[in-house]
Every structure is written in C-alpha cells, then in structure tokens.
Amino acid sequence: MITSALPDEAARPFAEPHPDRSARTTTSLLPGKGWWRDAVIYQVYVRSFSDSNGDGIGDLAGVRERLPYLKRLGVDGVWLNPFYVSPQHDHGYDIADHCAVDPVYGDLEDFARLVDECRLLGLKLVVDTVPNHCSSRHPWFQQALAAAPGSPERARFHFADGRGEAGELPPNNWRAMFGGPAWTRVVEADGNPGQWYLHMFTTEQPDFNWRNPAIAEEFERILRFWLDQGVDGFRIDVAAGLFKHPLLPDSADPEADERTRDSVNPLAWNQPEVHQVWRAWRAICEQYTARDGRDRLLVGEASVPTPAQQAEYVRPDELHQAFFFHLLHAPWDREHFQRVIDEAVRDITATGSTVTWVLNNHDQVRTVSRFAGTDPVAGPARAAAAALLMLALPGAAYIYQGEELGLPEVTDLPDELITDPIFHRTGSRTGIRDGCRIPMPWSGGHAPFGFSSDDAPARPWLPQPEHFAAHTAERVLADTGSFWHLYREALQLRRTMPQFGEHSIKWLDCGPDVLALTRGDGLVCAVNFGVGPAPAPVAGAPLIASGPCPPGVLPAATAAWWATATS
Ligand code: GLC
C-alpha cells in the first residue's frame, strides 16, 4: 500500500521554495552536466508576447519587460521564435539577414539588454535558427536569381531545369509542406521562363543546398555570432531537413508528403548526411563551453515518424535534445499516452539524452481546444491534467506562451485577417496556425488587454477575442485555482523534490481509465482519462492536483501527484 508523505515546503499551497533549494534555479537535479536535461523552457512567440512601442506587434523590449513574470512562474529559460530581419511571409521563418534584428522587433542593443536581464534573473536564453531555407529576399537568393544557370550563386540553392519539351514542368513531383508544388519557375535575365528552384515550405522560402560547403560555413558563422552575443542555445528549425536526396527523384506518394508531419517525404527529409551538421554544431558548442564552463543547448525540431528515428538525432555527439512531438498529436486516450511515453523514454534515454516533452507550440491547436473533442467543457480540465502529467515525466518540457493562462484556440478569425501562408496556399483552414498565435492578454477587460498600452496607435496584429478577458495574466494570478498556479506550483515541486532526479518511470496498474506512474521511490502521478471518478492510487491527500480531488478519489479528467513512502 502506498501512503502519502508530504515534504513540508510542498504541503503549503503555492509556497515559496525552501531557501537552500531555491538557489538551484537553473541547475539540473540529474546527475552529470547539462542544465537542459530537465529544464522547463517557456516558448515566446515574440510577435504576440508583449508590445513595448504601441505598433501592435510584440518586440524584444516587450519580452524584457515581462521577464519577471516568467521568473515568477518558475521556468528555467526562454526560447524566442525568430526575430531576425524578414519579410514575414512565414512570420520570421523566412530570414533575409540571420545576424540582425528585424526593426519591427528592435535591434541588437535590445537583444543585448535582454541577454543581460536573463543572466541577472538566472534564466537561460535560447534562440531559433532556421538552416533549411531562407527568405527569397536574402541577398544570396537575389544574387542567384540574377546569375546564370550553373553559376556558383545558384549552387547555394536547388535550381534545376524543368521537365517537358520546354522545361515547363517542375523537375520532380514533390509537394511543399504548406501546400502546392515544391518548385517555382524563375524568369531568366533574358526575360524568358527558365529554371526552377526548390522550396519545401512557401515560394518565399527557398531551400539551401547543403551539399554545397558554403552553406555549412555560413551557418557556423551565424552560430558563433549568436553565441558571442551570449545565447545559451539554439532551437533548430526543421532539423530533419537540410539535405535532399542527391538525385531529386519523384516521390512515390506526393500528396501524402503535404503537411503530414508524421509521414514526411523520405527523399527530402531525414537524409543520413544531416547528422554530420549536428556533429559540427555540437563541436562548436563544446568549444564555447570549454572556454567559459557554460553548457550550451541544441534542441532540434526533428519531425521524424518514430522515437527510434528521433533517437539518432540525439546521439552523444549530435543534438542535445529533440522535441518529442507525439503528445502534440495524441488523442485524449490512456493507452495512447502510455504507449508514446513508453516509447519515448525507452528510445531517447537509451542515447543518454532526455526526452523533451511538448504539449503546445506556435504550430499546433492549443490543448484546451484540442483535447475538448465534442465536449468543450472537458477541454480545460483535460489540458490541465495533461500539463501535470507532462511535468511529472523525466526529461525537459516546453511551455508555449498562454498555456499557463489556459488560453483556448481562436477559431473564428475572418478569412481576410488570416495571415498563415498555409491558408493562402491551400485555401483551407485545416492546420492554420493564427489561432494559437493571438497576442497575449495581460490585463484589463478589453482588447488589447495590456498587450500594447491602451493608448497605443495600432491594434494588435491579430484581434483578441473579448473572452480573453477571463484569461488575462492579471486574472489568473489572482485566482489560486487557475492554470497559472497549477504550473507554478508544479514547477516549484519539480525543482525541490529529489524524486525528479530519477530517470526512470514505472507504471502502476490502476484499471483501464487511469494512467499512473511512479518517479523514483517517492512520487506517484496519476491521470483519470475516463468519464467518471476512479479510486485514487494513493490514500492520502495529493501534493497537487489539476482540479478538486477529494481524498481517495481521482475525478474524471483530473491529474494529481502524491509524495509517497512504500511499505
Ligand atoms: C517549423 C516552424 C514553423 C515554420 C516552418 C518553416 O516547422 O515551427 O513555424 O513555418 O518550420 O520554417
């Protein structure tokens, strides 16, 4: 029988951490080096986080002003989505200058201030890097357009002659991830239609040709530039991309390759050569660590079908971590959760890395709406329970801005306000991402909810619905039963309880609806995926629960943690 044994500091609701332990702000509880191994990182979508200058768009100074809020929440660090010079066709994932800040977000001085402030607060700072493609306004691509077929300028990208009598058909049948063909034909200097170039996302995002050594050299320069600015790591966009099959052959099933991240085009992604890039980048990070003793992090968006394939990206000399996306697509189903958690822990930890859990990000429908299914009332309870489960798992976790406010997806934006290129390329709302990128509600009862000051000249770049009033940071901070306090308290417990230092989990058998696991010898986490109450796996009161949880009972759509002593 398991009985509850509450550590003193954890028993008090929302208690401040024990002074000795609170000093461990960004230090891993796990043995060995690497603050990132069990870190909880907060993802900031800069455009939608906080607008300091009233132009309706978030910026770096806005992020800096809000750092104390993140410190109070208790995260270990921040990941910033791209803020580099960009025409914003894909909101910064189309970069025209990798080593400069887009004026809409500030400048390098703002960035330096942000670095200093993060350092002061003990928060790690991770920035996005986008090596698979650039903007069609990037000087290299402009030079390639002006140069002749076969030139060194074109060799930095994938230019190829078309098929058909007059080259009027694309070089192969690949589809872009965001819809439509993956090739666009250019007009040559003589004014005639000419070669085609490859872009796996939008027309405005030409893919680099990584078989050209100039690309690797350029990215090593970019990496060093940001390391010299003081960043603690990089989130790597499309980390399974970069290399394409050298012969660019036709895909066997091009329609399946479009926007289906779980069945990516095997000719365009996950080519074996990509691993040499991650080895080189790891070596650069190690050089910096050898110089100043500070660990750097490479965390990849490596969307490959199985955890076993993902494990190849986090071998000891490659990326430190790769996002584990299977919970982003998981239905609200006990067996499904158990299976994917099992596979991830087994395959990823076998490499010596840790699993990097994520329930929400800037590309996915928010959990409050995603888990609702046909019952919108169930959404928030399930999202809170899933969060408590994620934070109980061994490894690192990423929280996407607004997750801690319990924000739902916004699904009723009028067509004319939708900015996502997926919508414009496909004409369909399926998979569009504006709804999870609505500017953050901070305070007050009406838009802009403190995102920009009330007398700001411009409206937020995407409209905030009036019902965001119920989710402002001001409101949730004042309500101790809110998502915010659940996250904060769970983060505090993670930091203070030695059980979180254990790598392994063991499953407890608690019937068909309840997923229950133990961490180490003294922590149980259980989630009730069913529709009715279930017996709690532990007799005493929980340390923390995602909803009202009477002793001995685990209500439907509720998760709880218990500190235990086994007898
Ligand atoms: C990644 C990003 C996404 C972006 C795409 C193209 O999947 O997360 O937001 O649109 O790459 O860069």
Side-chain angles (χ1 to χ4, degrees):
M1 164 74 179
I2 296 175
T3 54
S4 177
L6 308 183
D8 273 358
E9 73 265 34
R12 280 178 277 124
F14 321 127
E16 292 302 323
H18 184 283
D20 294 344
R21 288 171 174 178
S22 64
R24 313 179 56 105
T25 30
T26 54
T27 311
S28 171
L29 286 169
L30 299 178
K33 284 205 306 181
W35 57 266
W36 44 268
R37 295 181 66 81
D38 58 353
V40 177
I41 304 284
Y42 186 94
Q43 178 189 352
V44 170
Y45 196 72
V46 180
R47 195 174 181 79
S48 300
F49 192 61
S50 186
D51 167 22
S52 75
N53 62 0
D55 64 358
I57 297 176
D59 45 48
L60 293 180
V63 178
R64 185 167 52 86
E65 285 167 9
R66 303 286 185 183
L67 288 178
Y69 165 87
L70 299 181
K71 186 67 189 170
R72 189 165 172 199
L73 182 60
V75 294
D76 297 302
V78 178
W79 149 35
L80 302 179
N81 282 104
F83 50 84
Y84 316 109
V85 171
S86 161
Q88 310 289 339
H89 282 291
D90 190 17
H91 294 319
Y93 284 96
D94 49 322
I95 301 176
D97 183 346
H98 292 80
C99 296
V101 176
D102 195 296
V104 86
Y105 299 130
D107 57 24
L108 279 173
E109 270 180 39
D110 290 315
F111 187 77
R113 275 187 224 115
L114 185 61
V115 171
D116 288 347
E117 192 84 3
C118 284
R119 204 62 67 71
L120 215 62
L121 291 172
L123 292 168
K124 301 291 182 187
L125 184 61
V126 175
V127 296
D128 224 303
T129 178
V130 187
N132 181 69
H133 46 265
C134 61
S135 159
S136 52
R137 304 302 308 167
H138 190 288
W140 279 8
F141 191 71
Q142 290 295 306
Q143 289 161 17
L145 288 179
S151 60
E153 288 83 359
R154 288 213 172 167
R156 291 174 179 144
F157 299 91
H158 292 281
F159 277 85
D161 294 332
R163 297 197 282 200
E165 250 169 58
E168 72 281 10
L169 300 172
N172 69 24
N173 67 357
W174 293 4
R175 307 284 296 172
M177 293 284 285
F178 291 171
W183 295 90
T184 292
R185 198 170 192 190
V186 302
V187 175
E188 301 293 359
D190 61 9
N192 290 318
Q195 287 197 300
W196 298 72
Y197 69 89
L198 180 70
H199 50 83
M200 295 309 295
F201 292 90
T202 69
T203 313
E204 294 82 9
Q205 291 165 298
D207 279 42
F208 283 118
N209 172 14
W210 273 83
R211 295 186 190 280
N212 181 338
I215 308 301
E217 273 168 35
E218 174 65 357
F219 270 92
E220 291 187 11
R221 183 185 75 81
I222 294 166
L223 224 57
R224 288 179 196 278
F225 176 85
W226 290 104
L227 286 166
D228 290 340
Q229 306 300 310
V231 304
D232 294 292
F234 299 92
R235 176 267 185 187
I236 302 165
D237 192 57
V238 193
L242 279 57
F243 285 83
K244 317 301 184 261
H245 188 289
L247 302 177
L248 301 174
D250 272 341
S251 165
D253 189 0
E255 302 304 323
D257 303 335
E258 206 174 293
R259 283 192 294 126
T260 53
R261 304 215 163 185
D262 283 348
S263 72
V264 289
N265 176 351
L267 304 163
W269 311 105
N270 205 20
Q271 298 285 302
E273 296 88 336
V274 75
H275 295 284
Q276 82 207 20
V277 178
W278 308 139
R279 288 192 195 102
W281 287 28
R282 179 73 174 246
I284 293 174
C285 289
E286 307 286 341
Q287 276 172 16
Y288 276 75
T289 303
R291 251 184 248 165
D292 62 13
R294 286 172 42 218
D295 269 318
R296 306 314 199 277
L297 165 68
L298 297 173
V299 54
E301 184 203 30
S303 305
V304 287
T306 66
Q309 285 170 314
Q310 197 181 57
E312 295 177 4
Y313 286 78
V314 293
R315 289 177 285 206
D317 60 346
E318 296 199 33
L319 303 179
H320 301 87
Q321 288 181 321
F323 293 110
F324 180 72
F325 284 140
H326 288 55
L327 291 184
L328 277 180
H329 308 292
W332 183 251
D333 176 82
R334 182 194 69 78
E335 275 181 39
H336 192 104
F337 267 70
Q338 182 165 2
R339 182 170 50 74
V340 297
I341 292 169
D342 245 350
E343 285 173 3
V345 172
R346 183 194 64 215
D347 293 338
I348 305 295
T349 53
T351 63
S353 178
T354 52
V355 187
T356 304
W357 306 101
V358 39
L359 284 168
N360 290 279
N361 70 20
H362 66 294
D363 292 329
Q364 301 295 333
V365 175
R366 288 185 177 275
T367 38
V368 165
S369 306
R370 178 152 44 92
F371 287 142
T374 51
D375 177 4
V377 180
R382 292 175 177 172
L388 204 53
L389 170 62
M390 173 178 82
L391 294 173
L393 296 173
Y398 280 64
I399 298 173
Y400 174 50
Q401 68 181 43
E403 192 177 326
E404 81 285 11
L405 306 179
L407 286 186
E409 185 80 2
V410 173
T411 53
D412 56 359
L413 286 173
D415 284 2
E416 63 278 12
L417 294 185
I418 295 176
T419 67
D420 192 331
I422 293 179
F423 178 70
H424 297 291
R425 285 182 70 86
T426 62
S428 150
R429 285 174 171 258
T430 311
I432 64 163
R433 301 163 297 168
D434 296 77
C436 67
R437 299 174 176 179
I438 306 294
M440 284 273 283
W442 290 98
S443 56
H446 301 284
F449 297 113
F451 169 71
S452 309
S453 63
D454 276 342
D455 52 1
R459 288 167 194 271
W461 69 280
L462 281 175
Q464 300 156 302
E466 286 303 307
H467 64 80
F468 267 27
H471 299 279
T472 61
E474 184 180 53
R475 280 282 285 270
V476 299
L477 275 156
D479 170 8
T480 53
S482 68
F483 269 79
W484 199 90
H485 285 281
L486 180 73
Y487 276 83
R488 177 171 188 258
E489 196 186 345
L491 292 177
Q492 212 171 290
L493 290 170
R494 259 176 88 94
R495 186 165 286 139
T496 51
M497 291 180 68
Q499 289 87 338
F500 283 99
E502 298 288 327
H503 290 259
S504 58
I505 53 174
K506 279 190 220 116
W507 298 111
L508 301 174
D509 186 0
C510 294
D513 290 334
V514 174
L515 183 66
L517 58 91
T518 56
R519 284 288 301 274
D521 201 18
L523 181 88
V524 171
C525 168
V527 188
N528 183 351
F529 282 83
V531 289
V538 180
L543 280 177
I544 178 171
S546 63
C549 206
V553 179
L554 187 59
T558 304
W561 295 358
W562 294 263
T564 62
T566 40
S567 59

